[in-house]
Amino acid sequence: MTVRTLGVVMNGVTGRMGYRQHLLRSVLAINEAGGVPLAGGGRVHLRPVLVGRNAGKLRELAERHGIADWTTDLDAALADPETEIYFDAQVTSARVGAVTRAIEAGKHVYAEKPTADSLEDAITLAKAARAAGVKNGVVQDKLFLPGLRKLKRLVDGGFFGRVLSVRGEFGYWVFEGDWQEAQRPSWNYRAEDGGGIVLDMFPHWHYVLENLFGRVAAVTARAVTHVPRRWDENRSPYDATADDAAYGIFELDGGIIAQINSSWTTRVFRDELVEFQVDGTEGSAVAGLRRCRVQHRAMTPKPVWNPDLPATEKFRDQWQEVPDNEDFDNGFKVQWEMFVRHVVEDAPFPHDFAAGARGVQLAEAGLLSSAEGRRVELDPIDLGGK
């Protein structure tokens, strides 16, 4: 069996997401499994080249996992003709410059979302990648979660009839960092560093809604900073200048209304950290990270409102579990394999920089809606050319 080695420059892997999900659970896991299997036979083994600003962290990471190549010189890594893919998991504010350099170096580019912190920059990247003729992709990991894959199965099978509405709840309490260490990096709460829950989560909600239910046509949102003072990694206080909660109403093509609450200032009273309830004329479903439960029209009870008597029904017991019916691999790893096949054998990969730009567009529109207190319509993005 033919095995091809593909060099991958990985920038930002000293961060939590870049390390755990992309290096450890995707690239290294792919190699441990024998590489990415190709449709025409053979496999692709990935050779990671770690890039970052902190030489000590890079060296320790490389030694821990037996990785031969690391550097603090991004241009040197991009100049290596044996590296064909550039991956970016840096802070959002550093992404545009590094991705632009990778495109100019002729590398295929795969990046975390958002691709930029402004729609203008996101469109510029998409146009630059198209003009350079390089393959490009943006991480859209939630589409590959078991719960949402089951939900997609229901949509494709016509289970809902006509979809009426989507209701989403996401979030958890992120500690302020004074008396308990925060679970998220401090830059997430500084707007000047590209932080904010709208810029972080609205691109997620965009691709979930777009891929499962339809184009987002308009948004009405309220973004707030509920906790104005936090403590950073050195336990030093700082002013939180970015939004930590957002409440959005998204109007989709076909008259579907989606309502999604996103918050780092809420305590969890639900089965999973994110849940979506979809209601349709023929049935409803509730999907989370892993589980998905349904209630069909024919099996829907007839509740009667009577506040004078305690509820005797266990409403959750009236729903049925959607079976797995397949083995679900790590969503980040699955999308990595898809992108590698896209690069090597031109397999389909719809999650490109244009899709990333649409996600940034929704975030920008949500922030505008909040600032001006109005509904904002989203126009189709024109990248020019084909």
Side-chain angles (χ1 to χ4, degrees), residues 27 45 47 50 54 63 111 124 135 138 163 173 235 256 285 302 313 322 331 334 360-361 363 372 378 385:
V27 170
H45 183 274
R47 178 177 67 86
L50 309 186
N54 190 312
E63 291 175 351
T124 297
K135 301 285 184 19
V138 61
V163 176
W173 187 269
R235 297 295 174 94
I256 301 170
K302 185 184 287 187
E313 298 175 280
V322 177
V334 170
V360 175
Q361 179 189 36
E372 298 186 355
L378 279 69

Side-chain angles (χ1 to χ4, degrees), residues 222-244:
R222 184 74 175 96
V224 295
T225 305
H226 286 307
V227 178
R229 188 171 176 82
R230 293 181 177 270
W231 283 255
D232 64 18
E233 291 77 7
N234 299 315
R235 297 295 174 94
S236 298
Y238 67 95
D239 292 331
T241 55
D243 44 279
D244 56 22

